[in-house]
């Protein structure tokens, strides 16, 4: 007979304090100060990363490095980004555009379904998902799907969701002010919350000087173009 405590220890959505001691190497963020605060010395290779941002389109530069760190045979999926992905900027960062899929014009249920199926399939190394809100049960489903498929999802949410408590791998929040952008680690599996730190997210993330200056006026936060 399985004891109640044994059944809890077998759950995929719980982590043990002893896991903090397990050496794991994550995906380098490209920012040494941030890597030093992450339990895996970088982004986790699987699971869910939540990026809470004050305005859509600001947090993508933070996770830019993870875009290019995939195997040649694996796909990436962008689900309903706020702006049109700008292919030249993505290619300059090493993203294989032939393995990048973009889905648009989906409602929230369709976005969540597409993300869950893609994560669990094992064919998509990265799933990029933009949402207005996310419930605890929805976040748990995404986390478990990513663990089954050994894939990574980055979920962008408004900072109004900061009060929610989701069972995910990592949660960060961006704060913008006149003095710059700061990043706070709200939660990380295998680690503890860290102090807020100021990081130079722009303009170092996107080498705009290498992009045709005639279209720079339409460039928003690096990877996006804007029709208006």
């Amino acid at each position: 007979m399985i004891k109640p405590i044994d059944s809890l220890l077998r759950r995929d959505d719980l982590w043990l304090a002893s896991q903090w001691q397990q050496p794991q190497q994550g995906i380098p963020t490209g920012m040494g100060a941030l890597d030093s605060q992450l339990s895996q010395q970088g982004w986790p290779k699987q699971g869910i990363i939540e990026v809470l941002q004050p305005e859509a389109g600001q947090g993508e530069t933070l996770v830019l490095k993870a875009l290019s760190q995939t195997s040649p045979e694996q796909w990436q999926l962008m689900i309903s980004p706020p702006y049109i992905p700008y292919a030249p900027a993505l290619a300059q960062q090493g993203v294989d555009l032939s393995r990048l899929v973009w889905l648009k014009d989906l409602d929230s249920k369709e976005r969540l379904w597409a993300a869950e199926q893609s994560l669990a399939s094992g064919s998509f190394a990265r799933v990029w998902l933009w949402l207005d809100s996310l419930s605890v049960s929805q976040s748990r489903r995404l986390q478990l799907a990513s663990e089954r498929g050994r894939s990574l999802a980055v979920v962008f949410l408004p900072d109004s969701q900061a009060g929610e408590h989701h069972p995910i791998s990592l949660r960060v929040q961006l704060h913008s002010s006149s003095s710059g952008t700061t990043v706070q680690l709200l939660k990380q599996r295998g680690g503890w919350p860290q102090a807020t730190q100021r990081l130079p997210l722009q303009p170092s993330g996107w080498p705009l000087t290498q992009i045709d200056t005639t279209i720079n006026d339409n460039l928003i936060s690096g990877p996006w173009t804007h029709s208006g």
Side-chain angles (χ1 to χ4, degrees), residues 23-36:
Q24 298 181 19
Q25 187 61 45
I27 304 168
T29 66
M31 294 170 280
L34 181 57
D35 285 341
S36 66

Side-chain angles (χ1 to χ4, degrees), residues 162-173:
E164 300 294 328
H165 300 283
H166 297 157
I168 58 173
S169 301
L170 178 63
R171 197 172 211 222
V172 302
Q173 183 172 12

Side-chain angles (χ1 to χ4, degrees), residues 153-200:
V154 182
V155 181
F156 299 94
L157 290 165
D159 54 11
S160 59
Q161 290 277 291
E164 300 294 328
H165 300 283
H166 297 157
I168 58 173
S169 301
L170 178 63
R171 197 172 211 222
V172 302
Q173 183 172 12
L174 274 66
H175 303 273
S176 297
S177 67
S178 57
S179 59
T181 301
T182 57
V183 177
Q184 183 179 6
L185 301 183
L186 300 180
K187 173 185 178 179
Q188 58 175 326
R189 180 173 291 188
W192 308 104
Q194 301 288 340
T196 301
Q197 39 182 318
R198 180 171 288 109
L199 298 173

Side-chain angles (χ1 to χ4, degrees), residues 102-185:
W102 168 32
L103 298 180
K104 62 178 183 177
D105 299 329
L106 302 180
D107 62 29
S108 59
K109 289 184 178 180
E110 291 170 330
R111 296 180 196 184
L112 288 166
W113 182 87
E116 184 177 0
Q117 297 303 309
S118 302
L119 289 169
S121 72
S123 299
F124 288 86
R126 307 279 186 271
V127 172
W128 308 83
L129 174 63
W130 286 261
L131 293 169
D132 296 324
S133 64
L134 186 67
S135 69
V136 172
S137 61
Q138 290 167 343
S139 65
R140 182 180 295 111
R141 287 177 66 99
L142 292 178
Q143 177 71 28
L144 294 176
S146 69
E147 292 174 357
R148 288 196 301 271
R150 297 186 177 181
S151 50
L152 175 66
V154 182
V155 181
F156 299 94
L157 290 165
D159 54 11
S160 59
Q161 290 277 291
E164 300 294 328
H165 300 283
H166 297 157
I168 58 173
S169 301
L170 178 63
R171 197 172 211 222
V172 302
Q173 183 172 12
L174 274 66
H175 303 273
S176 297
S177 67
S178 57
S179 59
T181 301
T182 57
V183 177
Q184 183 179 6
L185 301 183

Side-chain angles (χ1 to χ4, degrees), residues 79-91:
I79 303 176
S80 297
Y83 302 109
I84 301 172
Y86 185 61
L90 293 171

